[in-house]
């Protein structure tokens, strides 16, 4: 079994990239990656070698990220609104002015985008439940939510320009 320092230096970038792919937020990814390696340091003796070390580390990272998300008021996939990575309301990283501009952009969305986005972000509903509400499929809800995020970004930029 390699020493912790070797594991850290060899796998840090892989774990960070994995976490970043989950949240698309560099600050959150850095925090989750650090927390992951802290957990690894405490539990390195529990690694039995039943899977690749990278897989084990990413599993810990994924669980750490989901725990992080569940502690937030609103758990939703992270998203970018400008060149800096920020999360959709999830982590409360917006100041009041930014939050107001985002809400204005959301208010200007047409239906069903506004409602699907609101149900997902504020109602914390699964795509399956959102699809059921509209009498549509889970896939429809996913696509509509994705399109709502794109439209929200466009509206956000129009409001701040």
């Amino acid at each position: 079994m390699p020493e912790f320092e070797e594991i850290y230096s060899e796998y840090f970038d892989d774990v960070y990239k994995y976490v970043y792919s989950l949240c698309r937020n560099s600050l959150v990814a850095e925090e989750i990656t650090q927390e992951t390696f802290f957990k690894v340091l405490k539990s390195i003796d529990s690694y039995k070698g039943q899977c690749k070390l990278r897989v084990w580390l990413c599993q810990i990272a994924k669980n750490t990220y989901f725990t992080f998300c569940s502690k937030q008021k609103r758990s939703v996939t992270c998203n970018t609104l400008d060149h800096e990575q920020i999360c959709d309301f999830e982590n409360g990283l917006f100041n009041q002015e930014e939050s107001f501009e985002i809400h204005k952009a959301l208010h200007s969305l047409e239906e069903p985008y506004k409602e699907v986005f609101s149900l997902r972000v504020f109602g914390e509903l699964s795509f399956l439940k959102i699809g059921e509400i509209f009498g549509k499929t889970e896939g429809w809800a996913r696509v509509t939510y994705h399109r709502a995020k794109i439209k929200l970004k466009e509206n956000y930029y129009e409001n701040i320009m």
Side-chain angles (χ1 to χ4, degrees):
M1 171 57 91
E3 293 294 318
F4 176 77
E5 293 80 15
E6 292 172 20
I7 294 170
Y8 184 86
S9 62
E10 184 174 342
Y11 293 101
F12 181 89
D13 286 341
D14 292 336
V15 173
Y16 174 83
K17 288 174 185 174
Y18 175 72
V19 174
Y20 186 81
S21 75
L22 295 173
C23 68
R24 297 282 188 222
N25 180 303
S26 59
L27 296 174
V28 172
E30 179 75 29
E31 181 180 335
I32 298 301
T33 303
Q34 291 295 340
E35 173 89 31
T36 297
F37 279 98
F38 178 72
K39 289 179 178 181
V40 168
L41 178 62
K42 292 188 330 184
S43 63
I44 192 71
D45 295 332
S46 69
Y47 176 68
K48 305 292 185 215
Q50 295 171 332
C51 63
K52 291 183 178 182
L53 186 56
R54 178 178 284 114
V55 172
W56 184 69
L57 295 170
C58 288
Q59 184 66 37
I60 294 170
K62 181 178 75 170
N63 291 337
T64 303
Y65 174 69
F66 289 147
T67 299
F68 171 81
C69 287
S70 70
K71 289 179 182 176
Q72 303 302 309
K73 287 185 177 182
R74 296 173 187 96
S75 179
V76 67
T77 303
C78 293
N79 188 22
T80 58
L81 287 174
D82 60 17
H83 69 283
E84 292 183 40
Q85 300 296 322
I86 51 181
C87 288
D88 300 326
F89 307 102
E90 178 180 68
N91 298 317
L93 297 178
F94 297 114
N95 63 34
Q96 285 184 334
E97 186 175 321
E98 290 171 322
S99 182
F100 179 70
E101 292 302 322
I102 292 168
H103 281 285
K104 280 180 20 183
L106 177 60
H107 183 70
S108 66
L109 283 181
E110 62 271 8
E111 295 299 345
Y113 304 109
K114 183 190 321 185
E115 188 170 359
V116 169
F117 186 87
S118 295
L119 289 170
R120 180 72 178 160
V121 174
F122 303 116
E124 300 180 22
L125 294 181
S126 68
F127 291 116
L128 181 63
K129 295 288 185 193
I130 293 170
E132 286 177 17
I133 289 172
F134 283 90
K136 306 278 186 177
T137 65
E138 179 180 358
W140 174 88
R142 286 181 187 279
V143 169
T144 304
Y145 175 73
H146 175 73
R147 290 177 181 162
K149 289 193 308 184
I150 292 170
K151 291 176 181 292
L152 182 61
K153 286 181 210 177
E154 292 168 357
N155 291 350
Y156 174 79
Y157 285 123
E158 287 175 11
N159 285 337
I160 63 170
M161 296 299 174

